[in-house]
Amino acid sequence: MLYLASQSPRRRELLARLGLDFGVLDLDIPEHRQPGEPAEEYVRRVAREKAGAGLLKVVANPSAVVLGADTEVVLDDEVFGKPKDAADATAMLRKLAGRTHLVISAVSAVSAAREMQVVSLSEVTFTPLDEPRIAAYIASGEWQGKAGAYGIQGAAEIFVERLSGSFSGVMGLPLHETSQVLAGFGYGPFPVARAPLHQAGVAS
């Protein structure tokens, strides 16, 4: 049995695109970067901790495979997590405007017998954003619960001048890498997606 250890509706929607049946485990894992911890190692660690905590919840099922993921926005070695409020979100967007940032998305899968992990690295270049444009996006509420205060699958897609990497990885679950990990646990082959991700109507 496959489980997704995530409260994110975007990750649930993305994983469903692989055509798999899976359960969802709602976990509350602290996400705090340790002093001196490299950004990529931090994202890897949180993904592992989510998967490991999920496995503990279903330990009675010896065939369980638990998938955990974490996605963070990084600029100048600063990790932009989920904003605390509108003011925090505004500050994040001001910093990202007109710059190229890195999106790190780590996926971990664990079972009673093994563990695998992959990482997707994507570069996203934002157009310059003036204050009215930032304010309009903040007023939309789309920034809530999203690393870096934006969702590429929504209105913020028009901010993106260039994307080098994985669209689904920036959303929160890189499907190419996720399918590779799951294949290592015997899942697949996977169906061809029926529609482009940006047309999938992913709920925020």
Side-chain angles (χ1 to χ4, degrees):
M1 176 66 182
L2 177 66
Y3 296 91
L4 176 64
S6 177
Q7 299 180 26
S8 167
R10 295 174 298 282
R11 290 199 178 105
R12 292 196 291 269
E13 177 76 16
L14 286 165
L15 185 58
R17 293 179 64 79
L18 295 181
L20 298 171
D21 293 325
F22 60 92
V24 175
L25 303 172
D26 284 340
L27 304 172
D28 187 13
I29 302 299
E31 298 183 22
H32 302 297
R33 187 182 182 189
Q34 301 301 318
E37 185 177 28
E40 183 174 328
E41 289 306 310
Y42 163 63
V43 179
R44 285 178 175 271
R45 175 175 61 80
V46 172
R48 285 194 302 268
E49 289 177 354
K50 289 178 180 179
L55 188 63
L56 288 176
K57 294 190 71 171
V58 294
V59 69
N61 182 353
S63 65
V65 176
V66 179
L67 198 69
D70 188 50
T71 300
E72 301 292 348
V73 170
V74 182
L75 178 66
D76 297 333
D77 197 46
E78 180 181 359
V79 174
F80 293 63
K82 300 178 181 68
K84 300 184 295 290
D85 51 31
D88 192 26
T90 298
M92 289 183 184
L93 292 175
R94 285 173 178 159
K95 291 180 180 179
L96 297 176
R99 301 283 305 279
T100 297
H101 61 269
L102 180 67
V103 178
I104 306 173
S105 209
V107 180
S108 287
V110 296
S111 69
R114 66 185 308 189
E115 174 182 353
M116 292 181 65
Q117 186 179 73
V118 290
V119 174
S120 168
L121 302 176
S122 301
E123 290 186 343
V124 181
T125 302
F126 266 22
T127 190
L129 301 172
D130 59 22
E131 289 300 312
R133 201 170 188 188
I134 291 175
Y137 185 73
I138 295 300
S140 76
E142 275 197 6
W143 56 270
Q144 298 181 53
K146 296 179 176 66
Y150 76 93
I152 196 171
Q153 74 280 9
E157 187 173 5
I158 64 172
F159 299 163
V160 179
E161 288 187 354
R162 183 174 181 273
L163 166 64
S164 176
S166 169
F167 189 93
S168 57
V170 178
M171 282 182 65
L173 189 70
L175 290 183
H176 173 68
E177 290 80 1
T178 300
S179 67
Q180 289 181 316
V181 166
L182 291 177
F185 286 82
Y187 291 94
F190 302 103
V192 176
R194 292 184 294 275
L197 284 174
H198 65 278
Q199 295 179 9
V202 179
S204 297

